[in-house]
Amino acid sequence: MPRFAANLSMMYTEHPFPARFAAASADGFEAVEYLFPYAYDPAELRRLLDDHGLRQVLFNAPPGDWDAGERGTAALPGREAETRAGIERALEYAAVLDCPRVHVMAGLLPSGATPAEEARHRDTYLGNLTWAAERAGAARVDLLIEPINHRDMPGYFLNRQAEAHAVVQELGAHNLKVQLDLYHCQITEGDLTTALRRDLPTGRVGHLQIAGVPDRHEPDTGELNIGHLFGVIDELAFEGWVGCEYRPRAGTSDGLGWLRDYRGAHA
């Protein structure tokens, strides 16, 4: 049975961030993820997890200047020192939060990048990931890379599952894995059942995420047959977590009928 983690950056936004931990726990979540922890002291986040019986299962490494539109730096030539300092900071948080996974965002390609420029970005990406995987491995943390669709994030360096798996295979680090977001995958590629059956058995997928398509609301809204996909995940005995990275249409708790129905059918 899939294990679900509440994404506190998108869910429970009707509450201040620290209060979201209690709200998620009250709705029966046992784990949480979110984009970035760095506005808070790690000891404070540790206390919130412990107070509400929650596990931290994922967060992102520093992404550069997010408010200015940056979406990661790992594939940006000339930003290697910043990227690596960000990895070190993320691993410090992971140690306090006992978080086993950190997502490393690649960044945006410049508009009209030539093949030569794209190759330079890829070389930078591979170099940073090689360094980061070694550092994270010593801390027993998995690094994740995620293909993101161009509609939500125009110019993002990594878009397709095959690209991400090729990077993981090329580098060969045991703790470098793919974050498979079914929302992004559906928009970019579709054929989700095939993607799950092809990629989960490889062991290269370290985390799943879900949301309804096309509007990124509850996963039972829109064009996905989420019950079928949960069945496929269950059939493949995926042992990781499924992050609920969606924007509720109204109150978060009121929109959890999909989860209550799933739990009731599998009690």
Side-chain angles (χ1 to χ4, degrees):
M1 178 176 171
R3 300 183 297 168
F4 300 100
N7 186 296
L8 300 186
S9 295
M10 292 193 177
M11 302 173 72
Y12 301 105
T13 56
E14 58 268 39
H15 305 289
F17 184 78
R20 296 175 197 175
F21 292 79
S25 179
D27 280 333
F29 284 103
E30 297 177 355
V32 298
E33 62 178 43
Y34 39 71
L35 293 181
F36 310 111
Y38 310 107
Y40 297 88
D41 186 278
E44 179 183 0
L45 297 174
R46 176 76 264 169
R47 178 185 60 77
L48 288 168
L49 293 168
D50 291 342
D51 284 352
H52 301 293
L54 294 166
R55 298 171 62 180
Q56 182 78 45
V57 297
L58 178 71
F59 61 84
N60 293 350
D65 191 341
W66 184 267
D67 291 338
E70 291 192 325
R71 294 297 182 263
T73 61
L76 303 186
R79 304 284 291 275
E80 290 86 350
E82 179 184 350
T83 297
R84 297 179 187 196
I87 295 295
E88 296 282 18
R89 189 179 185 200
L91 292 176
E92 291 171 1
Y93 272 78
V96 176
L97 301 179
D98 193 23
C99 182
R101 296 167 203 86
V102 172
H103 171 215
V104 180
M105 298 190 73
L108 308 178
L109 282 172
S111 178
T114 66
E117 289 171 329
E118 291 181 7
R120 185 174 174 228
H121 281 269
R122 191 174 193 276
D123 288 344
T124 300
Y125 191 47
L126 296 183
N128 281 326
L129 289 177
T130 297
W131 182 91
E134 182 175 351
R135 295 291 297 168
R140 298 185 179 180
V141 170
D142 285 346
L143 292 185
L144 305 183
I145 59 174
E146 178 188 21
I148 297 177
N149 80 78
H150 267 175
R151 188 178 72 200
D152 284 13
M153 204 171 287
Y156 193 72
F157 177 78
L158 195 66
N159 311 123
R160 303 184 71 86
Q161 300 304 308
E163 297 170 358
H165 283 270
V167 168
V168 170
Q169 288 179 288
E170 182 173 345
L171 296 185
H174 73 279
N175 64 321
L176 179 63
K177 298 185 178 181
V178 176
Q179 183 171 312
L180 170 53
D181 188 319
L182 298 179
Y183 166 81
H184 292 303
C185 187
Q186 171 67 6
I187 292 170
T188 303
E189 305 176 49
D191 208 9
L192 297 183
T193 297
T194 297
L196 288 167
R197 289 180 174 158
R198 178 191 65 220
D199 293 339
L200 290 192
T202 69
R204 293 192 297 269
V205 175
H207 192 70
L208 295 175
Q209 290 179 322
I210 56 172
V213 180
D215 297 319
R216 209 168 193 176
H217 294 318
E218 283 80 358
D220 61 336
T221 63
E223 64 197 49
L224 299 185
N225 183 343
I226 200 65
H228 165 76
L229 294 172
F230 289 161
V232 173
I233 294 167
D234 197 25
E235 161 199 323
L236 296 169
F238 178 68
E239 295 182 353
W241 290 87
V242 179
C244 303
E245 193 183 43
Y246 66 84
R247 301 183 186 92
R249 288 169 295 180
T252 303
S253 298
D254 290 343
L256 288 174
W258 66 270
L259 183 56
R260 290 187 288 269
D261 290 347
Y262 183 80
R263 286 172 173 163
H266 295 81

